[in-house]
Amino acid sequence: MSDEEESQLTDKEKIEIAKWFLLNSPVGEIQYVAKDVKEVLKDERVYRIAAAEAFPLYNKSHMICLEFPDRSGEVLVTSFNEIDKNEYFDPRSAQVAIVDHLKQVCTDARPANDDELPSSYIEEYRCAFDAEIIKYVSEAYPKGICCVYCTNGKDMEGPGSSFEFVVVISAARLSPQNFCNGSWRSIWTVEFKDDIQLVEVRGKLQVGAHYFEEGNVQLDAKLECRDSTMFQSPDDCAVSLTNIIRHHETEYLNSLQTSYSKLPDTTFKDLRRKLPVTRTLFPWHNTLQFSLTRDIQKNLGLENSE
């Protein structure tokens, strides 16, 4: 960007551009991007405004996990357990974490108020479901984090009431020293409909990866799915719903692996011209007949030098 073009940008435009870069940072890399954005802007006020707006959105969309100051547990930062702009409810410990979004740390915690806690009836369902999800995630995702939140109907006192849970699963593998970061995020909305004795499930799955050794290759794969099961007891519902989630996530992971294993035979082929400049089709069925080393030796007259 030239000095003349930069001078034509208003502060509002600079803020929006800076936010775009911050919000589109790959998993685990927003602090690196923020450092570069700050250097390019050379305007502390504009940077602070952009960062103050972008970091909370980024942290919630990536569902980052932070440790409580006393190391008694962890809390996920999501839009589903947000009480205030920097307060996030952890149902397992019945605490509310105070979060510094820019530093991505939990600075303090307080006990949850009575009006922030679900009723005993809802909590019975939530706890049973949470326990099954914890077991599943510990088996499926190394270092995966999960939680079940009640997002609607938390004050219902007994049968005859409908309510809604959201299951959040977040797993990240960060290896910047190897120029590679990746994450798995899934959000499952679970509606308990007592009037028709049915539980409806809607899932949103997202896989992201960034490989940046001498390049910049990113993956952003998404899937939405639906399912349902019968409204049962807390324990039976927990097992049934966890099996649904396990089934869809396993199926999606397998489809991704199958798709990428076929890349050389499908996508990469499509990147080539059907008929090259030589007007001769490339023999994909017998690529072993080609040898770059042999061709180089022939061109340089080194074939019989050994």
Side-chain angles (χ1 to χ4, degrees):
M1 182 183 296
S2 68
D3 292 340
E4 183 179 351
E5 289 175 322
E6 186 176 5
S7 65
Q8 294 175 358
L9 291 175
T10 65
D11 284 352
K12 184 178 180 180
E13 290 171 328
K14 291 179 181 178
I15 289 169
E16 290 303 314
I17 293 171
K19 281 171 56 180
W20 187 90
F21 278 105
L22 292 170
L23 289 171
N24 286 278
S25 304
V27 59
E29 297 178 39
I30 190 171
Q31 295 291 356
Y32 301 110
V33 174
K35 183 178 179 181
D36 291 337
V37 167
K38 188 175 183 180
E39 181 64 27
V40 170
L41 284 174
K42 299 186 185 302
D43 188 322
E44 185 69 20
R45 185 187 69 84
V46 169
Y47 167 75
R48 285 186 175 277
I49 294 173
E53 295 181 19
F55 267 82
L57 295 174
Y58 179 90
N59 292 339
K60 287 184 287 186
S61 68
H62 284 265
M63 301 187 295
I64 67 169
C65 179
L66 303 176
E67 192 173 42
F68 282 111
D70 61 0
R71 299 188 177 184
S72 60
E74 297 172 316
V75 61
L76 281 163
V77 176
T78 80
S79 59
F80 307 107
N81 63 328
E82 184 177 29
I83 293 176
D84 198 359
K85 60 182 180 181
N86 64 340
E87 293 188 344
Y88 296 87
F89 174 57
D90 175 45
R92 290 177 194 152
S93 63
Q95 293 187 92
V96 175
I98 315 300
V99 172
D100 184 327
H101 280 288
L102 294 180
K103 294 181 180 178
Q104 295 183 309
V105 296
C106 176
T107 58
D108 201 1
R110 64 170 177 82
N113 300 324
D114 288 342
D115 61 348
E116 294 167 342
L117 297 170
S119 68
S120 57
Y121 172 72
I122 297 298
E123 186 64 5
E124 184 179 6
Y125 273 90
R126 196 207 66 78
C127 281
F129 195 6
D130 194 48
E132 288 296 324
I133 289 293
I134 289 173
K135 286 193 289 186
Y136 159 62
V137 171
S138 66
E139 297 166 0
Y141 305 104
K143 299 182 180 179
I145 305 295
C146 61
C147 199
V148 178
Y149 304 107
C150 181
T151 53
N152 191 23
K154 71 180 181 65
D155 298 322
M156 300 304 173
E157 294 292 348
S161 306
S162 297
F163 51 94
E164 180 181 279
F165 289 164
V166 168
V167 181
V168 170
I169 300 174
S170 177
R173 177 167 291 182
L174 307 179
S175 185
Q177 69 276 16
N178 293 316
F179 310 101
C180 185
N181 295 317
S183 70
W184 167 279
R185 285 170 278 168
S186 56
I187 299 170
W188 295 90
T189 303
V190 183
E191 292 185 73
F192 292 77
K193 298 184 175 182
D194 187 87
D195 55 340
I196 56 175
Q197 290 294 292
L198 191 69
V199 184
E200 294 186 350
V201 183
R202 302 190 309 275
K204 293 183 178 180
L205 319 180
Q206 184 171 3
V207 179
H210 184 211
Y211 182 75
F212 49 99
E213 184 176 16
E214 297 182 0
N216 180 23
V217 180
Q218 295 195 45
L219 164 71
D220 186 16
K222 299 177 182 179
L223 176 73
E224 294 190 11
C225 50
R226 303 176 72 95
D227 212 321
S228 63
T229 187
M230 296 299 297
F231 198 136
Q232 306 168 74
S233 68
D235 289 339
D236 289 339
C237 267
V239 172
S240 179
L241 290 168
T242 302
N243 284 337
I244 286 174
I245 291 173
R246 178 187 289 108
H247 166 73
H248 285 286
E249 294 195 349
T250 302
E251 194 174 64
Y252 183 47
L253 282 170
N254 289 340
S255 70
L256 285 176
Q257 291 174 346
T258 301
S259 175
Y260 295 133
S261 68
K262 293 180 179 178
L263 276 178
D265 297 323
T266 55
T267 306
F268 289 163
K269 274 188 183 181
D270 292 337
L271 293 176
R272 275 187 68 95
R273 285 187 256 181
K274 296 297 182 183
L275 198 62
V277 176
T278 60
R279 311 300 295 173
T280 303
L281 289 173
F282 188 82
W284 289 101
H285 62 282
N286 187 19
T287 57
L288 294 177
Q289 66 179 287
F290 294 94
S291 169
L292 182 60
T293 303
R294 186 171 64 245
D295 291 344
I296 292 174
Q297 289 178 334
K298 180 179 179 181
N299 290 335
L300 296 179
L302 302 176
E303 287 181 297
N304 300 318
S305 61
E306 294 182 358

